[in-house]
Amino acid sequence: MPLGVVIKGIGGFYYIKSPLGLIECKARGIFRKNDVIPLPGDKVSFSIVDEEKKLGVLDKILPRETELVRPAVANVTQLAIVVAIKSPQPDCVLLDKLLITARIKDIEPIILVNKIDQDTGDECKKFEKLYGKTGYKIFFLSAKQDMGFDQLTDMMKGQITVFAGQSGVGKSTILNRIAGSSLMKTGEVSNKIERGKHTTRHAELIELSNGGFVADTPGFSSFELTGLELNDLELYYPEFQEYLNNCRFNGCSHINEPDCVIKDAVLNGGIENERYERYIQFYNLLKKQKANRYRK
Ligand SMILES: Nc1nc2c(ncn2[C@@H]2O[C@H](COP(=O)(O)OP(=O)(O)OP(=O)(O)O)[C@@H](O)[C@H]2O)c(=O)[nH]1
Ligand SMILES: [Mg+2]
Ligand SMILES: [Zn+2]
């Protein structure tokens, strides 16, 4: 049975990119019966029904390695979190939540700082200082002036990358620039799916000429941190790791306890104060969530 990757699902049809071309498939009834919905990014096996018209039936979904809920995409390997350097002002609460969420789901985050053409002072430097210690890859871009794209496009190679972030930061503009030349080459996809006719409520993977897949998402402003235990929050801060386990108290929350190496590191500049402040904010939020869970 041939194998392929679901690019998009719409109205009960699934478009599967495969060595045989783009195949339009219906899913077998068993999926609906079991309440399983094939997602973009799913690796699947299918059977050909009409070779000429490239029609088939989606038979089986291979086990998912990762699963994002919003957007609903399977097997995402990379989350590109986009902020604008100045307008709109970076929402670092959202950024930090997205960084944590990516790691919870075993997806590698990268940070894209867009609109650097609007940096009139030292905003980029400030951002670099604030997030450099996380060790996450940071790309400084201007989608408008086509700056910073060679390296970024290389990062998409062999990955399934989802773009996320606030509204208006330039996600779609960046994606169009990255996909630009390859959008032509994937004309096969555009004709068949009639790109643009449907509003993008459903995620769609776009294939790049270097073999990577990318997906856009509409901007959003906030979401709840879930899927982690209160005491594990510290594990999602890469710059905390070298200090952990050296506090006086086991299970130190790094907030009010004495002899806390995390607090020391914040004072000594080993950890950025702003990142730490948001850690406290998230810690308290998770604590409240936990209390509410027990009350119910
Ligand atoms: N100055 C400047 N403007 C940019 C740049 N990139 C995008 N823009 C502009 O920013 C605005 C928003 O860009 P979009 O690509 O629509 O932003 P988005 O993140 O997709 O927004 P949503 O789809 O609402 O989430 C548009 O007017 C773009 O032209 C840039 O590098 N510099
Ligand atoms: Mg957009
Ligand atoms: Zn501590």
Side-chain angles (χ1 to χ4, degrees):
M1 244 185 275
L3 294 176
V5 177
V6 176
I7 297 293
K8 179 170 183 153
I10 196 153
F13 290 97
Y14 298 91
Y15 297 87
I16 297 171
K17 148 94 195 169
S18 80
L20 305 174
L22 188 76
I23 312 295
E24 180 181 289
C25 286
K26 282 201 151 196
R28 279 174 56 204
I30 186 86
F31 289 116
R32 191 171 303 159
K33 206 171 139 216
N34 293 344
D35 231 359
V36 174
I37 299 172
L39 299 178
D42 265 328
K43 292 169 191 149
V44 298
S45 64
F46 61 93
S47 338
I48 287 285
V49 174
D50 184 328
E51 204 169 333
E52 200 151 299
K53 290 187 183 148
K54 301 204 183 234
L55 301 177
V57 173
L58 195 166
D59 289 315
K60 194 169 165 222
I61 301 174
L62 306 190
R64 289 173 181 156
E65 271 159 46
T66 64
E67 189 172 339
L68 268 188
V69 177
R70 203 172 71 176
V73 179
N75 301 318
V76 173
T77 57
Q78 186 163 259
L79 187 69
I81 308 168
V82 186
V83 296
I85 194 62
K86 204 164 186 177
S87 171
Q89 280 288 322
D91 180 345
C92 291
V93 169
L94 183 65
L95 171 57
D96 287 0
K97 280 183 177 175
L98 284 168
L99 288 169
I100 292 166
T101 302
R103 292 293 291 264
I104 290 172
K105 292 181 180 289
D106 251 333
I107 296 170
E108 193 56 35
I110 57 176
I111 303 173
L112 313 189
V113 181
N114 189 34
K115 307 198 191 184
I116 59 170
D117 53 283
Q118 292 182 337
D119 183 354
T120 48
D122 52 3
E123 279 98 352
C124 286
K125 260 198 209 126
K126 272 192 202 146
F127 190 93
E128 172 82 58
K129 180 170 182 293
L130 191 50
Y131 282 93
K133 293 188 190 95
T134 64
Y136 292 129
K137 289 208 172 72
I138 306 176
F139 296 85
F140 291 93
L141 310 169
S142 169
K144 193 176 178 182
Q145 297 184 349
D146 197 10
M147 283 152 59
F149 278 85
D150 287 348
Q151 271 185 315
L152 181 63
T153 307
D154 272 350
M155 280 300 290
M156 307 288 135
K157 216 180 260 176
Q159 309 268 354
I160 297 183
T161 305
V162 162
F163 283 69
Q166 290 157 266
S167 191
V169 293
K171 296 180 294 297
S172 302
T173 312
I174 293 170
L175 211 126
N176 277 332
R177 217 176 245 295
I178 291 177
S181 50
S182 48
L183 273 185
M184 311 299 170
K185 285 176 200 143
T186 51
E188 189 190 13
V189 178
S190 342
N191 291 338
K192 209 152 195 175
I193 305 179
E194 299 180 70
R195 186 190 305 281
K197 272 204 176 171
H198 308 278
T199 45
T200 49
R201 280 203 40 230
H202 302 276
E204 168 183 5
L205 296 185
I206 296 166
E207 193 184 13
L208 305 177
S209 50
N210 66 15
F213 289 98
V214 290
D216 199 2
T217 64
F220 51 91
S221 53
S222 91
F223 67 97
E224 206 173 331
L225 261 188
T226 53
L228 81 166
E229 289 301 321
L230 183 57
N231 292 330
D232 289 341
L233 180 62
E234 61 184 24
L235 302 177
Y236 298 102
Y237 283 74
E239 72 270 45
F240 286 16
Q241 300 314 301
E242 60 178 292
Y243 304 105
L244 292 179
N245 303 322
N246 293 318
C247 297
R248 192 209 295 186
F249 293 105
N250 263 339
C252 181
S253 71
H254 320 303
I255 298 176
N256 294 314
E257 297 89 338
D259 298 328
C260 168
V261 289
I262 295 290
K263 282 197 285 183
D264 287 346
V266 174
L267 289 176
N268 300 333
I271 291 172
E272 287 299 313
N273 187 51
E274 268 193 46
R275 283 272 291 169
Y276 172 67
E277 293 285 332
R278 288 191 290 275
Y279 163 85
I280 298 178
Q281 187 184 335
F282 298 153
Y283 189 92
N284 289 329
L285 269 174
L286 288 171
K287 203 164 151 184
K288 222 194 244 161
Q289 276 178 24
K290 194 174 167 184
N292 286 340
R293 265 207 313 269
Y294 284 124
R295 210 169 291 145
K296 269 175 202 162

